[in-house]
Every structure is written in structure tokens, then in C-alpha cells.
Amino acid sequence: SQQGEEDPQALSIQEGENATMNCSYKTSINNLQWYRQNSGRGLVHLILIRSNEREKHSGRLRVTLDTSKKSSSLLITASRAADTASYFCATPQGGSEKLVFGKGTKLTVNP
Amino acid sequence: DTAVSQTPKYLVTQMGNDKSIKCEQNLGHDTMYWYKQDSKKFLKIMFSYNNKELIINETVPNRFSPKSPDKAHLNLHINSLELGDSAVYFCASSQDEPGETQYFGPGTRLLVL
């Protein structure tokens, strides 16, 4: 079953602008992770935020987690053309803690 | 240095054939995974091995059989390939239990004709 759902499905912005992607999930979680996938490549882990954290930063990335709303957001500031990729949220689910991925947000940053 | 590598990168084959995809990680991780990504980019876990033992086995046709000769390798063998098996298959690994950070290989693009 789908755990994370990203929103929007696609986002197109100009270089220098900020990009915000959202993820909603259904069950309680230990952590939530964001991954990036460039076209034709594997997924790259960006950031992991634990259930007792509200905000986390990594370079130009800012992730928030609201466990009461079961949602997370990924903000990319001062976007670059190289940020063009699909972004996925993932949450551990079930007794096996398998990672369940959302369908992703396709971000296009126009130069 | 490639952390998680897969071979081959591309695989084009006929229906009914048997094929294997190999995966190796040099990160010293204990847990390895196989994922399938369909044409709509939906990524779903297939299998997970921890120290050569199967710990996650999703509802996958038994034509798919993972094999882990050691904890650095997890191969995927597919028998009697079908058109619907066409997808990108990703191998991944993690240091600890499955719910933590995973490191992905570059993917194997399988096309069944």
C-alpha cells in the first residue's frame, strides 16, 4: 500500500527560486527520508528526519516534519538547474520496517 | 569508488528467457535490497537480505529468486521472463535495519520483448 504521497506531482521553477515539495503519510513512523533521482540514475539519499525532530537542514535543503498532520516538506532554496530531478519521500512501514516510497515530485529548474 | 554496483546496466531479452542481475556493495553493509521501478516511476521493494538471510519477501512471483552468496552480494535471477517484467531494477544496501538510510545502485533497465 502507498505510504508517502508527494505533492505536487510536477513542479517547474526558474533558477534561483525556492522549491517546496510536500509528503503525506498514513501511519505512525520512526523516521521519514527524502531521496533524489536524476533521470536515468539511481536514488540518492538526501536527508533523514526522525519522528522526534521537527526540522532539519542540509546545505540548501530544509526538511520539516509534522507528525500531528502526518506530513513533511522539502524546501530547496536558491535552486539550480542541477537540482532538476524527481524527489521521493520514503517511510519505514510494517514490522519489517521496509521503506515505502511515494510516487515522487518531478522538479524542473529552468536556467 | 562505486558503493553499490549492478550489472548489467541494460538487459534486452525475449519472453520466456531466464536472466540474472548482479549486485555488489563495498560499503560493508549488512542489509541489501532489490526494488522494482515501473514506467510511472513507482518504486517498490521486492526482497531484502540481512547477512545472507531473507528478511523481506514481498508478493513477488516465484519466477524471481534472490541469491546472496555473501553479505556483499545480492543477485536476482528471473525465470521465464514476461512482458510485465520490463522495468528498472535497483539494488540497495543499508548499514542497519531496513528502515534506515539506503544506498542505491545505478539500476538495471530490463526490456522484455
Side-chain angles (χ1 to χ4, degrees):
Chain A
S1 62
Q2 194 77 3
Q3 173 74 319
E5 291 277 351
E6 291 90 345
D7 168 58
Q9 289 187 351
L11 181 60
S12 181
I13 59 173
Q14 295 299 122
E15 216 166 21
E17 293 180 341
N18 295 343
T20 300
M21 289 158 266
N22 302 297
C23 170
S24 59
Y25 57 92
K26 295 175 183 168
T27 61
S28 61
I29 56 172
N30 291 326
N31 68 68
L32 185 142
Q33 303 174 36
W34 285 92
Y35 289 80
R36 183 187 75 228
Q37 184 179 30
N38 290 84
S39 180
R41 311 288 284 273
L43 279 76
V44 173
H45 174 81
L46 295 176
I47 202 162
L48 181 153
I49 186 166
R50 300 205 179 273
S51 58
N52 61 354
E53 298 175 306
R54 290 297 167 259
E55 189 171 311
K56 205 161 183 179
H57 296 255
S58 177
R60 293 183 296 112
L61 305 181
R62 173 179 163 244
V63 167
T64 61
L65 179 64
D66 187 336
T67 52
S68 65
K69 294 181 180 177
K70 291 187 169 57
S71 67
S72 173
S73 67
L74 170 66
L75 168 67
I76 304 174
T77 59
S79 64
R80 304 166 182 169
D83 294 328
T84 294
S86 291
Y87 292 82
F88 295 87
C89 67
T91 52
Q93 183 184 5
S96 63
E97 291 285 275
K98 65 182 181 185
L99 273 190
V100 178
F101 287 80
K103 294 180 180 178
T105 292
K106 186 171 182 179
L107 173 66
T108 302
V109 181
N110 301 299
Chain B
D1 290 341
T2 304
V4 182
S5 59
Q6 295 178 228
T7 54
K9 189 171 183 179
Y10 299 98
L11 191 49
V12 181
T13 187
Q14 299 288 328
M15 263 197 321
N17 284 351
D18 303 339
K19 290 292 177 186
S20 291
I21 307 172
K22 294 186 176 181
C23 177
E24 177 181 2
Q25 55 95 3
N26 62 6
L27 296 167
H29 288 168
D30 291 327
T31 309
M32 296 183 72
Y33 314 81
W34 276 109
Y35 287 88
K36 179 181 180 180
Q37 188 174 44
D38 63 23
S39 57
K40 295 184 179 180
K41 301 294 186 186
F42 183 48
L43 192 72
K44 189 172 180 185
I45 191 166
M46 300 172 68
F47 302 102
S48 174
Y49 269 73
N50 179 273
N51 235 343
K52 302 195 296 175
E53 287 193 31
L54 182 67
I55 56 170
I56 295 174
N57 186 351
E58 291 296 287
T59 310
V60 176
N62 57 16
R63 298 181 294 104
F64 290 78
S65 54
K67 285 189 171 49
S68 182
D70 56 62
K71 76 172 196 176
H73 296 84
L74 181 61
N75 303 322
L76 184 65
H77 188 76
I78 315 170
N79 289 327
S80 303
L81 278 155
E82 300 178 356
L83 294 177
D85 297 333
S86 295
V88 182
Y89 292 84
F90 288 99
C91 178
S93 72
S94 67
Q95 175 61 48
D96 299 308
E97 52 275 2
E100 297 295 314
T101 300
Q102 295 185 13
Y103 297 82
F104 283 77
T108 295
R109 281 143 191 82
L110 171 65
L111 178 60
V112 182
L113 302 175

